[in-house]
Amino acid sequence: RAPDRSHPTPAQGPTPRYFTWDEVAQRSGREKERWLVIDRKVYNISEFVRRHPGGSRVISHYAGQDATDPFVAFHINKGLVRKYMNSLLIGELSPEQPSFEPTKNKELTHEFRELRATVERMGLMKANPVFFLLYLLHILLLDVAAWLTLWFFGTSWVPFLLCSVLLSIVQAQAGWLQHDFGHLSVFGTSKWNHLVHHFVIGHLKGAPASWWNHMHFQHHAKPNCFRKDPDINMHPFFFALGKVLSVELGKQKKKYMPYNYQHKYFFLIGPPALLPVYFQWYIFYFVIKRKKWVDLAWMITFYVRIFLTYVPLLGLKGFLGLFFMGLVQRSRRLGITSLAWECWFLESNWFVWVTQMNHIPMHIDHDRNMDWVSTQLQATCNVHKSAFNDWFSGHLNFQIEHHLFPTMPRHNYHKVAPLVQSLCAKHGIKYQSKPLFSAFADILGKRARWRGR
Ligand SMILES: *[C@@H]1O[C@H](CO)[C@@H](O)[C@H](O)[C@H]1NC(C)=O
Ligand SMILES: [Zn+2]
């Protein structure tokens, strides 16, 4: 193929444009321009952010910074991506400039890159297709079992409850499975990962892939960073989080809620409500506002399937209730609405406890532009390995390994864990792993401690 000459790149000319870290840091997007550095090369992403396939915000969170390690961590098709990137190249760091900003730990970064090379050589980035196939099968079987329970035993409250418990397992487990495809950790090409991602999150869960990408990649890029991690951003209105932020809220006299009681009202408005009251409705707003019609089409296939399979068993009245927040529910007690609400309620508790246990008790702060390993380790902890914990949390109990290597297939986390532990030990970085229930308890314990600030 003929080389693309439509974007002349100054760095390839005889006199490359040289920049300093200070010049790069000024292009963080606060003024107009956004630049970032990968392997000492300087890219102008001001205009590209809107076309970035992983979302505009995640890449913007690295504007003004070195992004070499997150670039390597998130992309599985680096050769192809680098080709596109050439059109954004505007120069490189001057030879006297160090390879990273002074906030970053140089030795740690070098050794982590060696570790990553070892991991790739060991084949730990390659997925075992049988694992994911069986995982999908166990979800589909439980889904069929839920339906058969109502069909066979009728719709009195015992089979009804059993059906909703099975459905919430299906929903929670499909949630963990979509996470694998969303991270491109199963197939060798992005295309196949994206396709099955749409099927699992769209058809099995009725949620948009684009919304999940938008939220989740930001969380991974800057976990527990105020204004950058959406999982933290939603909080200040309801909860005062973390030492740094609760002190700041206190100084600004911003008090939206009685934070002294946050460890108590967390039970009421956190775990049970996040999915049914917020996410379930927000996703429709998201896809329509952003014109994500493919996502909307996948979501509709979920509702059509539920309609065709459950309306014959439970009647039509309740189905409309799905969309009117349970108002119609009163006229038909065990309708499809109550089924959906029970299921969302159970799944929501499951989802919130598991996703909070790995991050909320850790350090929460503004972005201090630390190196990749420190950024991830100060914001992330693990939960011990066991067959139940692995299944219950979708292997997200190995959150540290997942955050360091987000495209690694989850069945390999435990193999890389000892290597990560020894890297941390060598550099005096705390690597935390705890039992499941103390992880849950820490979510509340920390909240109780932040209340008085
Ligand atoms: C960076 O891109 C923006 C938007 O395309 C452009 O206005 C600006 O001049 C570019 N800066 C450099 C240094 O190329
Ligand atoms: Zn993830």
Side-chain angles (χ1 to χ4, degrees):
R1 247 191 254 168
D4 180 8
R5 292 187 197 286
S6 56
H7 304 280
T9 50
Q12 288 167 355
T15 46
R17 258 182 93 183
Y18 285 132
F19 300 105
T20 63
W21 278 116
D22 281 341
E23 288 170 300
V24 172
Q26 281 161 26
R27 272 65 172 203
S28 65
R30 241 169 283 129
E31 307 291 309
K32 259 189 309 213
E33 287 196 25
R34 291 189 169 102
W35 298 357
L36 54 70
V37 176
I38 293 171
D39 288 331
R40 297 189 65 90
K41 294 212 165 70
V42 181
Y43 297 91
N44 180 3
I45 57 163
S46 313
E47 206 260 327
F48 171 74
V49 294
R50 274 178 288 134
R51 287 179 288 128
H52 181 236
S56 64
R57 294 186 61 112
V58 59
I59 187 170
S60 301
H61 291 340
Y62 275 90
Q65 303 180 358
D66 180 75
T68 309
D69 296 290
F71 171 79
V72 172
F74 291 125
H75 300 93
I76 56 169
N77 45 353
K78 291 181 252 300
L80 188 71
V81 180
R82 273 180 209 277
K83 246 201 253 166
Y84 283 108
M85 278 163 36
N86 280 337
S87 65
L88 309 175
L89 190 64
I90 55 169
E92 55 191 75
L93 291 173
S94 333
E96 85 284 353
Q97 293 285 309
S99 287
F100 332 102
E101 302 95 317
T103 44
K104 294 181 175 164
N105 183 333
K106 206 168 119 194
E107 287 76 37
L108 179 59
T109 302
H110 281 305
E111 283 180 35
F112 175 73
R113 288 178 186 177
E114 275 167 30
L115 172 61
R116 168 136 196 142
T118 310
V119 159
E120 285 175 13
R121 260 199 317 276
M122 288 165 72
L124 296 183
M125 303 306 285
K126 287 238 159 59
N128 175 1
V130 178
F131 173 89
F132 289 102
L133 191 66
L134 290 178
Y135 207 92
L136 177 63
L137 269 178
H138 111 280
I139 292 170
L140 297 178
L141 281 176
L142 288 171
D143 209 10
V144 172
W147 187 86
L148 284 176
T149 305
L150 282 194
W151 181 74
F152 194 75
F153 295 106
T155 52
S156 59
W157 74 270
V158 175
F160 193 85
L161 191 68
L162 185 60
C163 173
S164 61
V165 169
L166 287 171
L167 280 179
S168 60
I169 297 175
V170 168
Q171 287 301 308
Q173 290 296 337
W176 305 144
L177 185 64
Q178 66 82 24
H179 175 256
D180 297 311
F181 292 101
H183 273 296
L184 314 176
S185 75
V186 184
F187 294 106
T189 63
S190 305
K191 198 175 136 192
W192 276 97
N193 282 303
H194 287 315
L195 184 69
V196 184
H197 188 214
H198 273 109
F199 169 76
V200 178
I201 195 174
H203 182 69
L204 296 184
K205 289 188 66 65
S210 58
W211 163 76
W212 182 85
N213 292 347
H214 170 76
M215 302 278 285
H216 196 69
F217 293 148
Q218 290 186 70
H219 158 70
H220 268 273
K222 294 287 184 184
N224 281 7
C225 287
F226 193 46
R227 288 185 207 292
K228 292 198 172 181
D229 179 353
D231 296 5
I232 295 300
N233 280 352
M234 300 196 311
H235 277 91
F237 192 76
F238 297 113
F239 308 106
L241 273 190
K243 241 193 261 172
V244 180
L245 298 183
S246 47
V247 169
E248 265 173 40
L249 279 172
K251 276 193 197 135
Q252 296 163 8
K253 302 246 180 299
K254 279 193 183 152
K255 206 165 175 179
Y256 303 102
M257 295 282 282
Y259 296 131
N260 329 9
Y261 299 107
Q262 61 174 343
H263 56 299
K264 298 202 173 115
Y265 64 67
F266 174 73
F267 278 107
L268 287 177
I269 62 177
L274 186 69
L275 262 57
V277 178
Y278 178 60
F279 280 178
Q280 202 55 45
W281 311 99
Y282 179 75
I283 53 179
F284 284 98
Y285 168 79
F286 183 94
V287 289
I288 290 166
K289 186 170 159 238
R290 293 181 183 232
K291 303 191 172 64
K292 301 286 182 189
W293 306 128
V294 176
D295 279 339
L296 184 62
W298 278 104
M299 290 159 74
I300 290 171
T301 67
F302 166 80
Y303 283 98
V304 167
R305 175 168 60 90
I306 298 295
F307 181 89
L308 291 178
T309 50
Y310 282 92
V311 163
L313 300 179
L314 290 166
L316 189 61
K317 248 190 201 157
F319 190 76
L320 293 175
L322 263 184
F323 294 96
F324 295 105
M325 314 274 296
L327 290 180
V328 192
Q329 192 181 332
R330 257 178 245 141
S331 60
R332 193 187 175 91
R333 254 173 39 81
L334 296 181
I336 207 161
T337 318
S338 6
L339 184 65
W341 282 79
E342 271 180 43
C343 175
W344 281 334
F345 168 80
L346 291 170
E347 187 202 355
S348 192
N349 276 287
W350 188 336
F351 173 82
V352 173
W353 286 104
V354 169
T355 50
Q356 297 230 326
M357 70 185 185
N358 299 113
H359 298 294
I360 293 299
M362 301 297 291
H363 188 64
I364 301 175
D365 202 346
H366 296 274
D367 180 13
R368 308 275 180 207
N369 193 13
M370 313 268 271
D371 52 89
W372 179 248
V373 180
S374 308
T375 300
Q376 304 300 341
L377 262 294
Q378 71 176 7
T380 312
C381 63
N382 275 8
V383 165
H384 295 337
K385 179 176 173 51
S386 76
F388 177 78
N389 289 359
D390 291 357
W391 176 81
F392 188 74
S393 68
H395 288 85
L396 294 180
N397 50 341
F398 286 100
Q399 192 76 194
I400 294 174
E401 287 70 24
H402 172 53
H403 267 256
L404 291 177
F405 304 100
T407 64
M408 178 182 284
R410 57 155 112 164
H411 49 71
N412 287 339
Y413 295 156
H414 73 275
K415 295 182 191 158
V416 73
L419 304 177
V420 172
Q421 278 169 35
S422 58
L423 181 73
C424 289
K426 186 171 167 197
H427 290 271
I429 296 172
K430 208 166 164 196
Y431 178 105
Q432 275 191 56
S433 182
K434 40 187 149 178
L436 187 63
F437 283 97
S438 42
F440 289 162
D442 284 351
I443 299 175
L444 296 173
K446 284 282 180 167
R447 283 178 194 281
R449 222 171 307 154
W450 295 324
R451 66 190 162 161
R453 289 166 190 275

